[in-house]
Amino acid sequence: MDAPAVAAPSPPRSGIGPDTRRTGRLLGVLALGLALAIFLVDAFTPLEGAVAVLYVVVVLVSARAFRRNGVILTASGCLLLTAVAYFLSHRFFDSDSALLRALVSLAAIAISALLVLRNQAAARILAEQAELLELTHDPIFVRTPTDTVTFWNRAAEDLYGWRRDEVRGRNVHVLLRTAFPGGEAAIRDALMRNGRWEGELAQTVRSGARVVVESRWSLQRDAGGQPLAVLETNTDITERKRAHAALAESERRYRTIFDTARVAILQQDWREVKAVLDAVPPDAATPLRAHLHAHPEVVRDLRRSVTIVDANAELRRLIGADAGAAAPRSLDALLFEDEPTFIEALLALARGETFFEGETTIRALSGDPVPILFGITFPSHAEGFEGVLVFAVDITERKQAQEALLAVQAELAHTARVTTLGELTASIAHEVNQPLAAIVTNGEAALRWLRRSPPDLGEVSAAVTRVVASGTRAGEIVSRIRTFLAKTPPPRDWLDLREMIGESVLLVEREMVRGGVRLIRDVASDVTLVHGDRVQLQQVLINLMVNAIQAMATVTERPRLLTIRVAPDGAEHVRVTVADSGGGIAAEAVERVFQPFFTTKADGMGMGLAICRSIVEAHGGRLWITGHDDPGAAFHFTIPTTAEREP
Ligand code: ADP
């Protein structure tokens, strides 16, 4: 086996193969044969020499064949054979010189045995150390100062692909085509100066692949200070380097996205918020939402604790922070007083959600509001809260467009209401006419009672009271129509559908009478209040009723029935159905009737249903048609019973 040049150890025990064992046995037999031959010559030939000294050779051979006990046994045998041979051939003390030779031989055998045992012990220690080098995962090799390999461990075989017997005697850095960063001469200089060097090297393995190793060189010098050998330990860091390069690349890509995105990106530190929320006991007496609403100072502190670690150029543009101006350091500086979505974000985090999005308004450096749409990505584990990512887009333009759209819609709805009222002129005239006629009749009656002699003041008073009541009714009718025609509808409110239907029916009553339509009202008793805009919802009801009445104008073969049904729809909506027994709507026209300007009437505008649908959807409900085949159509719409959606 190869061994470090300095202390060539015997083969490690674990490395003893069948060949080694066979050689050991042969040497053992040789030692025994040799001992026997020496004994025969010593005991039975007249040779007067120190033949027994040759037992030293037996001991030396046994050192290669046996371990410690074998060597002791062999040496003891040799001592015994020397003594026996002496007594057999010389009797006691018959010759001083023979005795002296025997004693010298005995001493030589004993000394050589001791030396062999010591050498074996030293070799064993070295072998154990060399075995440790075999155990390490790092490739280790020893080379002469001129790079010739003298030792090559198992890990080196694994990494480089060459067996130890293939590399022995070869120039390792030529073989591995080592590239020395910073120059080979400088590295060798450093090694000679300091006795060690470490750094990264690129090498080529047998398959041709390049590997990067972290290399540590140690120089060993001989007693005279001359370089003797270099121990080179290499750690394969190819994968680590690749992973590191990939990470650096992804970091660079992320940075580019961060810096150049047209989306504002902020990195915020939410650790303190997380710690505070984690400390809230799950069975706290007050629910978190109520607690936060009751303690604005807590919310304020939490807002302050969220620091802005990093923000990209788009965020700076958004808040009007020019190159020189310092960006805000905490989230608190970005938000207005009582900003509502922060509490929602806290609640989302407390619920363990990893994403929260919303719409809010942030404060530019000038103090101006900037509407944004934002998303916060919370880490799913306890770590990572020091770099919570928040994305935001400026929706100023969208807001402006939305507001313009709403204004146009309101205009259109208003126009549609004016048009509808135009269709209802007859009804309105009739309605206003009734109290007016009553006023005239009662006024005339009052005059008649006054002209009597004596005037009947009791009757006069009763007639004038009726005049006032009729005047009030006429006033109410006019005021209802004026409200309906108002350009800006009143704010949303809690509305009683039963009452609203009553008012709407009043406006179309005359049309129904004229068209011979019978009204069926079916309002469930458990219908709750809905939240909405009175005028707009009335517009929907009137529109659907007028359409239904008009659809039944040509019906002669069956009763003309207009049904208005109101019933709960799930837990959070009320459903209103307006059904008729008219000609119905062809299946292919069902969706088209909601398109603007779709009309089948000579004087129709085709905007009614389109406006109705946008009103209902703006309320968080739906408008759809069922039973569109003859006889009649049924329009349904839902309105929420909760106040969550605002226009
Ligand atoms: P307009 O009444 O001005 O035509 P609408 O948008 O209110 O506009 O209605 C669009 C079309 O839908 C009508 O022209 C008619 O063809 C159809 N329509 C609406 N309601 C009914 C109904 N109850 N029965 C049959 N057809 C209907």
Side-chain angles (χ1 to χ4, degrees), residues 377-449:
T377 315
F378 294 119
S380 50
H381 303 295
E383 294 86 42
F385 278 85
E386 70 285 355
V388 170
L389 280 179
V390 180
F391 300 88
V393 279
D394 182 356
I395 52 168
T396 311
E397 283 173 15
R398 205 181 86 174
K399 276 267 164 204
Q400 284 165 352
Q402 215 171 30
E403 272 157 27
L405 193 70
L406 281 178
V408 172
Q409 265 179 356
E411 278 292 324
L412 208 59
H414 177 247
T415 314
R417 286 200 296 277
V418 175
T419 316
T420 311
L421 278 193
E423 291 174 37
L424 299 178
T425 326
S427 292
I428 295 164
H430 173 77
E431 251 209 286
V432 180
N433 228 3
Q434 269 184 338
L436 286 183
I439 288 170
V440 172
T441 315
N442 285 306
E444 282 169 357
L447 283 177
R448 271 199 307 277
W449 291 118

Side-chain angles (χ1 to χ4, degrees), residues 236-247:
D236 180 8
I237 55 165
T238 317
E239 262 317 304
R240 203 202 302 166
K241 287 286 272 190
R242 200 170 294 149
H244 191 263
L247 194 70

Side-chain angles (χ1 to χ4, degrees), residues 506-527:
L506 277 182
L507 283 172
V508 295
E509 207 162 29
R510 183 74 192 152
E511 304 302 311
M512 284 196 283
V513 175
R514 237 180 27 178
V517 172
R518 190 153 69 82
L519 175 71
I520 300 169
R521 254 188 274 204
D522 175 10
V523 182
S525 56
D526 55 347
V527 166

Side-chain angles (χ1 to χ4, degrees), residues 543 547-548 551 580 584-585 593 598-601 604-606 608-609 635:
N543 215 309
N547 277 350
D580 61 67
I585 301 170
V593 298
F598 176 84
T599 182
T600 53
K601 300 167 193 166
M605 189 160 77
L609 289 176
F635 285 79

